[in-house]
Amino acid sequence: SGINAEYGGTLHILEVPWSLRQASPNELTAMSSYFERECSRIDYYKDRDANREEKIVDSSPQIPTALETDEEEEERLKKSFNNYLTMEKEFLVKLGLRKEDDPVKLIH
């Protein structure tokens, strides 16, 4: 219990519960374990973020060493756009804005 008085003369009697006054038998061990887990979690996320940044740098588009012919470039762009259309359809199906059996209009 604690007693506290204000300047104006008001007396406050505070009671601190027993569970907060006395440490539990394993409290020190439990709290140490908690802080260790949190520190290792923070280290994990720092490492993960650093690895992601490395992958982002490494995954930049590769410039072809040899120039593509117009036909090869057109074919590559068609394939890329068709992949986009397929992913777009999957996304719209997940949102419920399109039916699963709706056809995708691919470029040939």
Side-chain angles (χ1 to χ4, degrees):
S1 295
I3 300 175
N4 186 10
E6 290 182 3
Y7 180 74
T10 305
L11 179 67
H12 299 277
I13 300 175
L14 306 172
E15 185 172 340
V16 178
W18 183 85
S19 61
L20 296 178
R21 285 183 278 154
Q22 297 294 322
S24 64
N26 295 327
E27 184 174 4
L28 183 60
T29 306
M31 291 308 297
S32 295
S33 175
Y34 169 75
F35 286 119
E36 287 175 18
R37 285 192 315 268
E38 285 299 304
C39 288
S40 63
R41 184 180 69 83
I42 289 170
D43 291 340
Y44 166 77
Y45 282 108
K46 284 181 182 177
D47 290 343
R48 187 186 73 173
D49 290 344
N51 289 337
R52 281 186 178 170
E53 289 174 6
E54 289 174 9
K55 288 180 182 177
I56 289 172
V57 170
D58 292 343
S59 65
S60 61
Q62 299 297 320
I63 299 172
T65 54
L67 295 176
E68 294 178 316
T69 63
D70 289 341
E71 294 81 20
E72 290 172 337
E73 180 183 17
E74 186 176 344
E75 190 61 36
R76 181 180 55 80
L77 292 173
K78 283 181 185 178
K79 183 178 179 183
S80 178
F81 189 69
N82 286 337
N83 286 338
Y84 165 77
L85 291 174
T86 304
M87 286 190 303
E88 180 186 38
K89 179 195 171 197
E90 291 171 5
F91 181 71
L92 292 172
V93 168
K94 286 181 183 178
L95 290 176
L97 300 174
R98 195 164 180 187
K99 294 180 183 177
E100 185 79 35
D101 55 352
D102 285 349
V104 177
K105 297 178 182 177
L106 300 176
I107 299 174
H108 300 287

